[in-house]
Amino acid sequence: MINPFTILSRYLFLEMLPPFFINLAFFSFIFLMKQILDITDMIVNHKVGVVPVFLMLAYTMPYFLQYIIPMSIMMAVLMALLRMSSDNEIMALKAGGVSIYRLLTPVMIFSLLGTLITGYMTIFGMPLAAERFKTLLFDVATANLNISLKERTFNDNFKQIMLYVNKINPQSGQLHNVLIEDSRNPEGSNTVVAQRGRLFGEPKEMVYHLRLYDGTISQVDMRDRSSHTINFETYDIRLDLKGAFAAPSISNKTPDKMTLPDLRAYLKTVKADKGKYLGALLQYHKKFSIPVACLAMGLLAVPLGIQARNSKKAFGIGLGLLFFLLYYILLSVGTAYGENGRYPPVVGMWMPNLILGGFGIYLLVMSAKEKTFTFNGLVNIFQRFEKTGRP
């Protein structure tokens, strides 16, 4: 029986830690880059505190980490083995009679830890963070409703009211070119168009009033099939935030933000609806298949790092990103085919792990037999495809 705490295992495990944390920080920064503009707008224009903004960022991290951790696991294993290969440490181990299968023990332990952390993110972290994010967003929105409004966007969060604002002045909070579709009257609807508007009210009571200036109201009466137009100088509309930010429940959560018990209950309620059922079943298997991807990618990284002994770290980074991109493409294809019923959701969610894991085992066996694998065949196929349009 192989002792998992040998000097070699500890040495390789410690070698993987620095690149893991570096990649984790780097990819987290990349994923958060698209949030920078929203963060700046909240702090500078809407005077939102720094603490609430960074709490919002923290609550979005579990969604990103479910993809970042498997990627970082693969890159850490690959970069550690590339470093050992380039320094001829792998060759020295082979010359000393150490099988490359001995390297699997620390790699699999390292990947298993990544699987457990990612599993916590997908099963517990994402539902909890989504609920906390909505609660925090409610608190921020009640303090400054302008944050929940976006320019040139149809806002239908308010019950039976659709609101469109062309421009929002961040300093004064004044709204310009406002369009409102008010359907609260069952006997007809009102379409309100105003040049300017302003929000005011009592946040603690979750009630706001939208005061409009210089506009028209087009009323449609469904009973006598008539319409009327009224010009106004000022017009007030009540906005109820309770309807816009309702408490989270199974009915208004999406399947990816549900806990496992909620998701199981949801699957029972939508069993008759094939589209919703397949989508929820995909999310159920996804909560387990993505964490297991850490094991598949860690396994694949071992032979790639060993065989590319003459390559630089840049090659290893590109190779790792290439295979993670392949995994993401397979996952996306599996999601699309699983949702439309082309094949069972369990196949769509687990096939990427089986393909990459199987390919990793194949390369590992070749490496153990001192056989090399090159990508020349794939390169030739791509070159032929570019010239002839056929593989």
Side-chain angles (χ1 to χ4, degrees):
M1 181 177 179
I2 298 176
N3 182 5
F5 303 106
T6 60
I7 295 177
L8 175 60
S9 297
R10 292 197 301 270
Y11 175 74
L12 181 54
F13 189 90
L14 294 175
E15 280 289 313
M16 292 183 289
L17 286 178
F20 171 76
F21 288 113
I22 292 173
N23 282 282
L24 190 67
F26 174 74
F27 290 123
S28 298
F29 177 77
I30 295 297
F31 273 92
L32 290 175
M33 277 294 291
K34 68 175 187 177
Q35 308 288 339
I36 296 298
L37 292 178
D38 292 335
I39 295 171
T40 305
D41 181 64
M42 284 185 176
I43 295 176
V44 176
N45 295 328
H46 296 292
K47 310 303 180 184
V48 179
V50 176
V51 174
V53 169
F54 279 96
L55 281 176
M56 287 183 186
L57 283 179
Y59 294 149
T60 61
M61 283 307 297
Y63 175 80
F64 298 131
L65 286 175
Q66 66 174 334
Y67 298 105
I68 292 173
I69 294 175
M71 188 190 306
S72 300
I73 289 288
M74 182 176 188
M75 298 300 292
V77 176
L78 189 57
M79 293 177 71
L81 291 175
L82 278 172
R83 205 279 304 163
M84 293 177 65
S85 296
S86 62
D87 292 346
N88 295 320
E89 293 180 16
I90 299 295
M91 185 178 296
L93 290 173
K94 290 180 179 180
V98 177
S99 171
I100 65 169
Y101 293 121
R102 291 280 299 276
L103 302 177
L104 284 178
T105 302
V107 170
M108 289 295 99
I109 292 175
F110 187 71
S111 301
L112 181 60
L113 290 175
T115 298
L116 295 176
I117 298 173
T118 309
Y120 178 83
M121 292 295 171
T122 58
I123 297 173
F124 302 105
M126 284 180 57
L128 180 61
E131 185 175 344
R132 295 284 179 85
F133 181 86
K134 190 165 187 177
T135 302
L136 180 61
L137 182 62
F138 170 78
D139 294 337
V140 173
T142 53
N144 189 345
L145 186 60
N146 286 345
I147 296 173
S148 63
L149 300 180
K150 292 186 179 297
E151 296 179 348
R152 294 179 290 278
T153 301
F154 288 96
N155 188 323
D156 58 356
N157 288 326
F158 302 101
K159 187 176 181 180
Q160 296 180 315
I161 292 179
M162 189 277 294
L163 175 62
Y164 176 89
V165 181
N166 186 59
K167 186 178 180 181
I168 302 175
N169 189 315
Q171 281 74 34
S172 64
Q174 191 172 74
L175 314 179
H176 296 274
N177 299 327
V178 182
L179 170 67
I180 294 176
E181 184 71 25
D182 189 349
S183 304
R184 291 176 292 183
N185 186 357
E187 298 178 354
S189 63
N190 295 338
T191 301
V192 185
V193 178
Q195 294 183 11
R196 295 174 291 111
R198 185 180 295 276
L199 286 162
F200 65 94
E202 300 180 6
K204 293 182 180 180
E205 300 297 327
M206 293 181 286
V207 174
Y208 273 81
H209 293 274
L210 175 59
R211 176 160 293 177
L212 303 174
Y213 303 91
D214 302 326
T216 59
I217 304 174
S218 299
Q219 297 178 330
V220 178
D221 193 332
M222 301 302 296
R223 292 179 302 177
D224 56 8
R225 298 180 181 275
S226 62
S227 63
H228 308 277
T229 301
I230 303 172
N231 296 322
F232 64 84
E233 291 184 1
T234 61
Y235 180 70
D236 288 353
I237 295 180
R238 176 189 172 100
L239 299 176
D240 186 4
L241 284 179
K242 294 178 182 178
F245 297 94
S249 64
I250 294 179
S251 60
N252 58 27
K253 285 181 183 178
T254 54
D256 61 313
K257 296 180 177 64
M258 293 181 185
T259 61
L260 287 181
D262 288 347
L263 192 51
R264 293 192 190 102
Y266 181 77
L267 284 168
K268 293 179 181 178
T269 60
V270 298
K271 203 164 187 178
D273 189 330
K274 185 178 179 181
K276 291 183 178 180
Y277 179 77
L278 291 176
L281 195 58
L282 277 169
Q283 292 298 330
Y284 184 84
H285 287 288
K286 193 175 183 179
K287 288 181 179 292
F288 299 97
S289 65
I290 289 183
V292 175
C294 293
L295 294 172
M297 292 186 178
L299 179 63
L300 177 61
V302 174
L304 292 178
I306 292 173
Q307 293 205 21
R309 57 180 175 270
N310 295 324
S311 304
K312 298 181 180 179
K313 286 186 178 181
F315 173 79
I317 294 173
L319 200 60
L321 292 176
L322 174 66
F323 276 100
F324 185 81
L325 178 62
L326 175 62
Y327 169 81
Y328 190 78
I329 291 173
L330 292 173
L331 190 67
S332 300
V333 172
T335 300
Y337 283 162
E339 286 180 342
N340 61 27
R342 293 284 294 273
Y343 47 69
V346 62
V347 176
M349 293 296 96
W350 289 97
M351 187 58 70
N353 292 340
L354 295 176
I355 291 176
L356 292 185
F359 187 55
I361 293 174
Y362 168 73
L363 292 181
L364 188 66
V365 172
M366 289 186 64
S367 298
K369 294 179 179 179
E370 298 296 333
K371 295 181 179 180
T372 59
F373 176 85
T374 64
F375 295 92
N376 293 335
L378 293 177
V379 173
N380 292 335
I381 290 175
F382 284 121
Q383 290 176 346
R384 195 185 319 155
F385 182 80
E386 288 178 355
K387 292 179 180 179
T388 65
R390 292 189 304 239

